[in-house]
Amino acid sequence: MRVLKRRTPILRWILWAACLVFAAGWLLAASGDEEERPQALLLTVADAIGPATGDYIIRGIARAEREGAELMVLQLDTPGGLDSSMRDIVKAMLASDVPVVTYVHPAGARAASAGTYMLYGSHVAAMTPATNLGSATPVQMGGGGFPGMDDGGSRPSRGDDRGNGNDDATNGDDAQETDANGAEANDDEVEEEKPRRGDTAMERKVIEDAVAYIRGLAERFDRNADWAELTVREGVNLTAREALEENVIDFVADNLDDLLEQIHGHSVRMPWGERVLNTENIEVITVDPDWRTNLLAVITSPNIAYILMLIGIYGIIFELSNPGSIYPGVIGAISLVLAFYALQVMPVNYAGLALILLGLIFMVAEAFLPSFGVLGIGGIIAFITGSIILWDDPNLNISLPLVVGTALVVAVFSIWVLGRLFRLRRVKPTIGQDHMVGMVGEAREDFDRSGQVFVHSELWTAETTAPVERGQRVRVVAVDGMRLKVEPVAEESAGAARPAS
């Protein structure tokens, strides 16, 4: 019995220890199951592709790699954007260790221009019904498109040419002559069927570069390279269903859950080889743009960057004109630094920037140089022209009303306000020693060299080079410390002189 009593506590401790081990194992298993649940990062872009969206997507890919996510989903709705930003995004996608799924969503969204390249550069390309992609023709820097294209950058379709009844009626004689000459008509038809190569050397360079780029993306992921070339040369578009049938995209899904369900088990080509996606019970983590992205989106807006640049320039000018004001200098310096950062990350036409600075210099010079308006008018013209051509991309055009309104405000500020400030600086002082020069006083005694005079309600010691009599009017010609230098005033000019007090 004694032995049993001694062993009972030991058995109880062993039982408690077994329970603790079992509970710990269960908790570890549960936590292990939670950690093994795959994750997907969801990024949303519903704007033009620019430096801010590029930074947002590239940092999203880096976060997905860092956290070991199963994939990254980019929900896209864009009219296009900067070629440089688009290429940075595509390069990050191709080098990513995490599969990137680009999903054009919601219904009514589009992946036009740069968005088409991003779809082709994604490991998985998907769209929602009632969306479209295409219009990937590169446009001329500075806007307006290439010759022979409409404002949208795409070439007019042959159907539109044939359907224009006015043109047919106007050119009826030419049509009859062409029909009479069968060989000439056949030559025109063959020429129409040729792919668009470009009319100028620059146009050919840009188009051929874009064609080679998008064909390379298509061949990497076994997508339709011929249609990719067609959308670059002709600016054509496809709906979601048509894109799926043409092997341009991989999936058509009604929503994100449908997409994740469809791509489960789908094999994608990664830099190191094939990878099978596992989206079963996947956890979707939404990654919203942070303060950095929002700030970058604000200051890289062409209109905002333009205004920041002007505020910075005029803040510095005002501080240099009025040293010690502090606030204009601080605000101007901060605005100028932000503007320079925006100019750094955006394609800037430096000829436009030089014209803006030249226009500002001309308008400031008009304030104190007698050019009879030549400098001012020239400055306004240079300022407006530089503002219009400042950005080397049609998607970054500054609002024309903003340019004209700003030019008028800048012109008024430069010519009138700065001119008034410079004129005020030339006004004769009303206090101090310089104010005394030219004043007329009265001699209080006779003196040949030094004596007392009453000027400005004060008694001064004065020196003169001509004899002065008591009560005679004298004019101050200089101030030397606490002594005045005076000269006698003739009676006929005394009345026109300034009073002594």
Side-chain angles (χ1 to χ4, degrees):
M1 295 296 293
R2 291 179 181 176
V3 175
L4 290 176
K5 288 182 179 180
R6 290 176 182 175
R7 290 182 178 179
T8 299
I10 297 175
L11 293 174
R12 187 178 300 168
W13 281 110
I14 292 174
L15 181 61
W16 277 108
C19 292
L20 290 175
V21 170
F22 177 78
W26 182 82
L27 290 175
L28 289 174
S31 62
D33 293 340
E34 186 69 24
E35 291 177 358
E36 291 177 359
R37 184 181 178 186
Q39 293 182 343
L41 299 187
L42 174 63
L43 280 69
T44 302
V45 172
D47 201 353
I49 304 301
T53 52
D55 179 76
Y56 171 54
I57 295 172
I58 293 172
R59 290 196 297 121
I61 293 174
R63 175 178 171 179
E65 293 177 336
R66 187 170 59 252
E67 297 181 0
E70 178 68 18
L71 53 88
M72 191 196 83
V73 180
L74 175 61
Q75 184 173 301
L76 185 64
D77 178 14
T78 179
L82 294 180
D83 177 80
S84 57
S85 299
M86 176 271 294
R87 289 179 181 257
D88 290 340
I89 294 170
V90 172
K91 283 192 290 186
M93 289 178 174
L94 297 177
S96 173
D97 293 332
V98 175
V100 177
V101 179
T102 300
Y103 180 38
V104 184
H105 184 79
R110 57 177 169 167
S113 190
T116 302
Y117 293 85
M118 292 168 61
L119 268 175
Y120 267 91
S122 303
H123 300 92
V124 178
M127 299 175 69
T128 287
T131 58
N132 66 283
L133 81 161
S135 296
T137 305
V139 293
Q140 184 182 17
M141 289 191 301
F146 287 120
M149 294 187 297
D150 59 12
D151 293 339
S154 62
R155 191 181 185 185
S157 66
R158 303 184 192 95
D160 292 340
D161 294 339
R162 290 193 300 264
N164 192 333
N166 293 331
D167 291 344
D168 291 342
T170 304
N171 301 321
D173 295 338
D174 295 337
Q176 291 175 1
E177 292 176 4
T178 304
D179 292 338
N181 190 341
E184 186 175 348
N186 291 334
D187 291 342
D188 291 341
E189 291 177 2
V190 172
E191 186 176 349
E192 269 193 2
E193 293 300 328
K194 289 182 179 179
R196 179 166 163 266
R197 302 288 182 183
D199 298 329
T200 65
M202 178 58 69
E203 185 181 355
R204 286 192 295 271
K205 285 175 60 177
V206 174
I207 291 178
E208 295 303 327
D209 175 71
V211 167
Y213 186 67
I214 201 169
R215 284 192 72 96
L217 297 176
E219 292 168 0
R220 179 179 179 86
F221 296 107
D222 296 327
R223 299 192 179 113
N224 191 333
D226 293 334
W227 185 88
E229 179 174 351
L230 187 64
T231 190
V232 172
R233 296 193 185 277
E234 303 293 339
V236 296
N237 286 258
L238 288 176
T239 64
R241 294 296 176 186
E242 291 171 343
L244 184 62
E245 294 172 0
E246 294 286 343
N247 189 31
V248 173
I249 62 173
D250 305 307
F251 299 96
V252 172
D254 294 328
N255 49 55
L256 182 59
D257 293 336
D258 183 23
L259 174 63
L260 294 175
E261 183 179 350
Q262 289 189 50
I263 66 176
H264 177 66
H266 179 69
S267 179
V268 296
R269 181 178 299 176
M270 303 299 294
W272 66 87
E274 297 293 326
R275 173 172 175 175
V276 178
L277 299 180
N278 176 25
T279 58
E280 185 178 3
N281 195 30
I282 193 169
E283 179 185 6
V284 178
I285 300 175
T286 302
V287 180
D288 294 322
D290 56 9
W291 67 269
R292 169 193 168 98
T293 303
N294 293 329
L295 175 63
L296 192 60
V298 171
I299 65 175
T300 54
S301 169
N303 295 326
I304 299 299
Y306 179 71
I307 293 173
L308 285 174
M309 180 179 65
L310 296 181
I311 292 176
I313 292 174
Y314 273 97
I316 298 299
I317 291 176
F318 193 88
E319 181 67 29
L320 294 177
S321 303
N322 300 270
S325 301
I326 300 178
Y327 290 107
V330 172
I331 296 173
I334 294 174
S335 300
L336 206 56
V337 169
L338 291 176
F340 283 160
Y341 178 77
L343 296 177
Q344 175 189 3
V345 299
M346 290 189 291
V348 176
N349 187 331
Y350 290 99
L353 183 60
L355 282 173
I356 291 176
L357 296 178
L358 188 64
L360 293 175
I361 292 173
F362 283 171
M363 286 186 282
V364 171
E366 178 67 30
F368 53 92
L369 289 180
S371 67
F372 303 100
V374 175
L375 287 175
I377 295 174
I380 294 174
I381 294 174
F383 183 86
I384 293 177
T385 304
S387 301
I388 293 174
I389 68 172
L390 180 60
W391 310 116
D392 258 347
D393 193 280
N395 294 295
L396 295 177
N397 286 338
I398 302 176
S399 172
L400 188 58
L402 175 64
V403 171
V404 176
T406 305
L408 293 177
V409 172
V410 168
V412 171
F413 182 83
S414 300
I415 297 173
W416 184 78
V417 179
L418 290 181
R420 186 172 179 81
L421 289 176
F422 281 110
R423 284 194 296 271
L424 288 175
R425 295 185 66 176
R426 292 196 295 266
V427 173
K428 196 172 185 64
T430 56
I431 59 175
Q433 292 184 348
D434 293 337
H435 174 62
M436 298 289 295
V437 177
M439 280 191 169
V440 175
E442 181 181 298
R444 289 300 175 94
E445 60 182 349
D446 298 335
F447 60 91
D448 295 334
R449 298 186 60 184
S450 178
Q452 299 290 320
V453 297
F454 188 75
V455 180
H456 203 285
S457 302
E458 297 172 337
L459 194 62
W460 291 80
T461 299
E463 296 179 352
T464 181
T465 55
V468 176
E469 297 180 355
R470 177 185 176 88
Q472 187 178 359
R473 294 283 186 177
V474 294
R475 178 184 292 109
V476 179
V477 295
V479 179
D480 183 12
M482 299 300 294
R483 300 175 69 89
L484 303 180
K485 293 182 178 181
V486 299
E487 63 180 7
V489 179
E491 291 299 330
E492 58 271 12
S493 61
R498 287 191 297 170
S501 60

